[in-house]
Amino acid sequence: MSSYDVSALRSQFPILATEVHGEPLVYLDNAATSQKPRVVLETSRNYYEQLNSNIHRGTHYLAQQATAACEKSRDVVGQHLNAGAREEIVFTSGTTDSINLVSSILGYSGTIGPGDIILISNLEHHSNTVPWQMLCERSGATLEVIPVTEEGAIDLVAFHRLLDDHQGTLKLVALTHISNAFGTMLPVESMIKEAHRAGSLVLIDGAQAVPHLPVDVQKLDADFYVFSGHKVYAPTGIGVLYGKRALLDSLPPWRGGGEMIQKVSYDGTTYNDLPYKYEAGTPNIEGAIALAAALEFLNDLGPEALLEHEQVLIRQAASALSSIDGLMLYGPEDRSGALSFNIEGIHHYDLGTLLDKMGIAIRTGHHCCQPLMSRFGITGTLRASFACFNDTSDVQRLVEAVEKGSSMLR
Ligand code: PLP
């Protein structure tokens, strides 16, 4: 598609024709999971109708075709992230799985041990918090947290202070690229540089960034970068761990089983090369192939045009919503993807339920960010989150529904 044509795009998402409680669906819950375009749905279906077979070990036609398609997908993902080598792309079941993989191997290898520091931010999803807490419990390391400002941005002064305070013991900085709760964008490129200068490895949680921004892992220089397929127009159950080759090569395997081995005997087992060393068992073959279709779909939209389209919508929504009596927006003005708000005196769940009755799908609650909610003294927010197919009529319907719903609840 050469110019950004949102109405043509909408016709590629069959689910958008759904009616909810007799109203046309307005889907604004893309940060939780995005809807799937026809090309992805067809890729999944074609896989099962034409290619279905287990990969890597088969000599027959279908096994070879499925293996080739799955490995081609790895190339597509690698190109999408501008990875230095295809071996740096490990298929996982999602962001959570990727982070648990990294936290486990950093623990097993002793890369993180007693007295060491792991640094996260107050904006992290539970997926980028709890695995590190678990690693601290197992290893004797300590978790430190970069605070957020009143505006909901990362506190860079505190970040620098924490880097200075923990020179020598800081082993990992794990940061979200974009906050799923507030849409806050983190200046990850400069933060990675500074963390490296302090001697730390860096993991970036790109779950909310890959759907909205072009990501170049070599330019970012992240040691690990992770994301989920289902938030980027692909199916659930497929995700990616990018890791620098030398680093992944030097770290031990995680799960044991088929495919991750070179030779098994009762005297000892040797392990496969990257990326298979980290892909024990039958992977989500259909998911990997459909993920490549989804990333190609995303690329065809034009990353700059897509970003501009979504930014315009989010600014329109922020501006219109903020004129509603008692409405508070969270996060800095240059937010991306998600817009979080509350209305004074109204519980987010009650308003969310009324919005659903009007056909508007948005998320309410803590968004798996309970420490962030506690920081702001709230139990949750209403969150509208945008994708390539949303348009100004979605924004209008959202704003009208919030106005109507809040006046009904007052
Ligand atoms: N990190 C962020 C920033 C997220 O938004 C999410 C999901 O909402 C996750 C991690 C977890 O992703 P998944 O459930 O796909 O593993």
Side-chain angles (χ1 to χ4, degrees):
M1 205 172 299
S2 53
S3 65
Y4 204 90
D5 181 351
V6 72
S7 58
L9 252 180
R10 290 178 72 81
S11 68
Q12 296 183 37
F13 287 81
I15 207 167
L16 297 180
T18 305
E19 288 206 341
V20 174
H21 307 301
E23 299 285 346
L25 169 69
V26 170
Y27 189 79
L28 289 167
D29 195 18
N30 295 285
T33 199
S34 63
Q35 297 302 350
K36 318 305 173 202
R38 212 167 253 125
V39 64
V40 169
L41 301 173
E42 282 166 5
T43 302
S44 291
R45 186 185 177 93
N46 288 345
Y47 167 73
Y48 285 114
E49 287 187 352
Q50 296 165 19
L51 285 187
N52 180 43
S53 181
N54 210 332
I55 55 170
H56 292 138
R57 291 170 295 272
T59 49
H60 63 81
Y61 175 83
L62 283 182
Q64 289 181 9
Q65 294 293 306
T67 303
C70 194
E71 290 305 323
K72 182 171 162 276
S73 298
R74 197 186 305 278
D75 293 331
V76 171
V77 175
Q79 282 153 17
H80 192 82
L81 297 180
N82 193 30
R86 68 191 313 282
E87 290 77 7
E88 298 180 320
I89 303 298
V90 175
F91 286 126
T92 65
S93 69
T95 303
T96 305
D97 194 35
S98 300
I99 296 174
N100 277 277
L101 193 170
V102 175
S103 66
S104 299
I105 60 180
L106 291 180
Y108 291 157
S109 60
T111 309
I112 292 175
D116 289 338
I117 302 292
I118 299 172
L119 187 57
I120 62 170
S121 87
N122 197 179
L123 288 158
E124 302 311 314
H125 189 280
H126 295 162
S127 289
N128 203 23
T129 302
V130 181
W132 306 118
Q133 286 179 316
M134 291 165 71
L135 175 55
C136 287
E137 278 166 19
R138 289 198 304 268
S139 67
T142 302
L143 190 70
E144 292 274 353
V145 181
I146 310 162
V148 293
T149 64
E150 206 46 49
E151 197 200 5
I154 188 128
D155 183 341
L156 290 172
V157 175
F159 173 59
H160 295 135
R161 196 174 50 241
L162 284 158
L163 291 184
D164 286 346
D165 288 351
H166 298 299
Q167 286 277 351
T169 50
L170 180 64
K171 294 295 164 67
L172 181 80
V173 178
L175 297 171
T176 191
H177 198 158
I178 296 179
S179 152
N180 64 303
F182 288 177
T184 308
M185 288 190 269
L186 274 68
V188 288
E189 192 171 343
S190 59
M191 293 179 82
I192 291 168
K193 231 181 237 124
E194 290 163 73
H196 281 163
R197 227 176 276 135
S200 177
L201 294 171
V202 183
L203 176 141
I204 301 295
D205 172 353
Q208 299 296 338
V210 176
H212 305 294
L213 304 175
V215 171
D216 181 334
V217 287
Q218 292 193 75
K219 182 158 179 282
L220 286 179
D221 199 25
D223 299 291
F224 306 104
Y225 195 97
V226 301
F227 71 96
S228 298
H230 70 98
K231 295 181 195 289
V232 68
Y233 309 111
T236 49
I238 184 74
V240 170
L241 161 64
Y242 156 84
K244 284 182 181 165
R245 187 178 187 166
L247 191 54
L248 289 182
D249 257 333
S250 70
L251 287 163
W254 181 31
R255 293 185 176 130
E259 196 54 37
M260 53 78 72
I261 52 88
Q262 225 150 38
K263 182 162 186 351
V264 178
S265 84
Y266 294 128
D267 298 327
T269 289
T270 52
Y271 302 114
N272 209 341
D273 296 329
L274 289 175
Y276 312 111
K277 172 172 126 180
Y278 291 115
E279 292 183 353
T282 302
N284 181 350
I285 306 165
E286 164 255 324
I289 295 170
L291 173 60
L295 294 178
E296 280 168 345
F297 164 84
L298 188 65
N299 271 338
D300 287 348
L301 297 176
E304 268 128 46
L306 171 65
L307 188 61
E308 173 65 14
H309 173 74
E310 291 177 344
Q311 293 294 77
V312 166
L313 291 182
I314 214 164
R315 281 197 296 268
Q316 277 175 357
S319 154
L321 285 172
S322 50
S323 64
I324 295 174
D325 201 23
L327 190 140
M328 287 159 307
L329 292 172
Y330 298 93
E333 265 180 38
D334 62 342
R335 53 181 79 78
S336 178
L339 182 63
S340 242
F341 58 95
N342 267 319
I343 298 186
E344 215 180 335
I346 294 177
H347 197 279
H348 43 83
Y349 178 83
D350 295 339
L351 184 52
T353 307
L354 278 183
L355 293 183
D356 172 57
K357 296 280 178 283
M358 297 183 238
I360 318 286
I362 68 169
R363 190 136 296 233
T364 64
H366 55 63
H367 317 297
C368 293
C369 292
Q370 286 180 344
L372 182 65
M373 298 299 125
S374 302
R375 153 72 178 82
F376 286 88
I378 54 180
T379 56
T381 70
L382 295 112
R383 180 190 71 185
S385 54
F386 295 81
C388 68
F389 53 77
N390 290 118
D391 64 9
T392 48
S393 78
D394 291 339
V395 173
Q396 270 166 14
R397 292 254 326 266
L398 168 72
V399 174
E400 282 162 18
V402 172
E403 274 170 346
K404 189 170 166 196
S406 55
S407 63
M408 285 163 76
L409 289 167
R410 279 215 173 90

